[in-house]
Amino acid sequence: MKDRVLKLCKRLDKFSFEDILTIAEDINEATLELLLLTLVNEKRLIKNNDIYLYNKNKTNNQNPSNQNLKLPRFFQYHSKEEINLIIKCFCAEIPAEKVYQICTTGKNAVFNLYNYIRKFLFKTQFKQLNELYSKNPKQVRYRILFNQCVYMYVYNNKVFITDKVLHHKEEELQPTKTEVKEFKKICCYLSRIECHNKNEVNLYFKLAEALWRRNKSFEELFNDLKLNLLNIS
């Protein structure tokens, strides 16, 4: 926890106790005050009246295991164990509102990580779609979910989704019979999304998540997300 607080201090650079208390919402006030005092004694921080300054001249002996986290900056202030736990909960389809109750991470951090993962999954499959479409343009298919138009493309019996129609100067090919069959199968699979009204928010991200989960075990989801997609060792 001390390393996490130190990273928050580095991020803020110059701050008051109230400033860091607002960000570190899941840390007890007394505990946070003690951690700051410890960092001052270790000369990691400089205290001037009620203001703390991050000591840039003091070598920060970071934990090497945290240096390879390729996540947005605000997630790097949480331990590797905390991030692993949240990723496992995500793969196990445990709702975010329950996860923060069983781990030390704050509510906002859990929701932010869940949203980031879903957005990341959407962008990853969209990037793959763009590469496939640019080389071999195919006709779009679509379905209406929650009064929103979801555009779909099928390549090698794999369905990709997007919120906009792709365009190419060359003629677009018709999908094969096998691809049409897969498209219909996926539509039935994704129709379950409409059973829960909360899925209307960030619909495209949640559809990408559903496609990513399909036919994968928990171990496959966890390893794929952690090692292949997020690239966290």
Side-chain angles (χ1 to χ4, degrees):
M1 185 178 291
K2 186 175 76 170
D3 287 341
R4 176 189 162 199
V5 170
L6 180 61
K7 288 180 181 180
L8 284 173
C9 296
K10 182 178 180 181
R11 174 187 174 191
L12 294 170
D13 192 38
K14 181 180 180 181
F15 57 92
S16 66
F17 181 75
E18 288 72 22
D19 292 334
I20 194 168
L21 182 62
T22 302
I23 299 175
E25 58 179 19
D26 57 312
I27 301 178
N28 177 272
E29 184 173 340
T31 302
L32 181 59
E33 193 170 5
L34 180 60
L35 288 171
L36 291 177
L37 177 61
T38 302
L39 292 172
V40 170
N41 290 337
E42 293 177 353
K43 300 188 186 313
R44 302 281 186 95
L45 296 177
I46 300 170
K47 188 176 181 182
N48 186 2
N49 295 323
D50 294 328
I51 298 299
Y52 293 89
L53 299 169
Y54 177 74
N55 189 355
K56 299 175 182 177
N57 296 323
K58 180 70 177 178
T59 302
N60 181 8
N61 296 317
Q62 292 181 318
N63 185 346
S65 64
N66 284 336
Q67 293 179 0
N68 61 352
L69 297 183
K70 296 186 177 179
L71 288 171
R73 184 170 179 173
F74 54 92
F75 292 127
Q76 296 185 22
Y77 303 108
H78 298 278
S79 70
K80 184 176 180 180
E81 291 73 21
E82 288 176 309
I83 293 174
N84 273 341
L85 177 59
I86 298 174
I87 291 176
K88 285 182 178 179
C89 290
F90 178 85
C91 293
E93 297 188 82
I94 300 176
E97 53 267 24
K98 292 184 179 180
V99 175
Y100 80 89
Q101 297 176 3
I102 61 176
C103 65
T104 58
T105 308
K107 178 179 179 180
N108 290 340
V110 174
F111 276 88
N112 286 338
L113 184 52
Y114 265 48
N115 289 334
Y116 171 79
I117 292 173
R118 291 188 176 110
K119 185 176 181 180
F120 183 85
L121 292 172
F122 174 80
K123 286 187 172 182
T124 299
Q125 63 90 42
F126 183 71
K127 181 180 179 181
Q128 295 172 346
L129 170 60
N130 263 327
E131 292 174 352
L132 291 167
Y133 183 84
S134 64
K135 297 176 183 177
N136 182 24
K138 289 189 177 183
Q139 291 185 355
V140 66
R141 306 182 78 84
Y142 71 92
R143 282 292 183 272
I144 303 296
L145 297 173
F146 292 113
N147 295 320
Q148 299 182 60
C149 194
V150 180
Y151 301 101
M152 305 184 189
Y153 294 84
V154 188
Y155 285 92
N156 302 320
N157 293 328
K158 182 178 179 181
V159 175
F160 298 85
I161 65 166
T162 176
D163 56 350
K164 57 187 176 183
V165 177
L166 302 181
H167 298 283
H168 201 284
K169 60 182 180 181
E170 296 182 7
E171 183 179 357
E172 295 177 323
L173 300 176
Q174 288 275 4
T176 64
K177 290 182 179 180
T178 304
E179 290 173 337
V180 171
K181 184 178 180 180
E182 181 65 16
F183 168 76
K184 292 179 178 179
K185 190 186 300 182
I186 288 296
C187 285
C188 292
Y189 174 73
L190 294 180
S191 64
R192 300 180 303 171
I193 294 284
E194 282 193 302
C195 296
H196 304 282
N197 290 333
K198 65 180 182 179
N199 289 327
E200 185 175 1
V201 179
N202 294 326
L203 174 64
Y204 299 98
F205 297 164
K206 291 174 182 176
L207 291 173
E209 176 194 349
L211 291 175
W212 170 73
R213 288 183 181 279
R214 188 167 179 251
N215 297 328
K216 289 189 181 79
S217 66
F218 170 80
E219 289 76 16
E220 289 173 321
L221 291 171
F222 180 69
N223 289 330
D224 186 41
L225 183 58
K226 184 184 176 188
L227 302 179
N228 298 332
L229 298 176
L230 297 178
N231 193 22
I232 304 175
S233 60

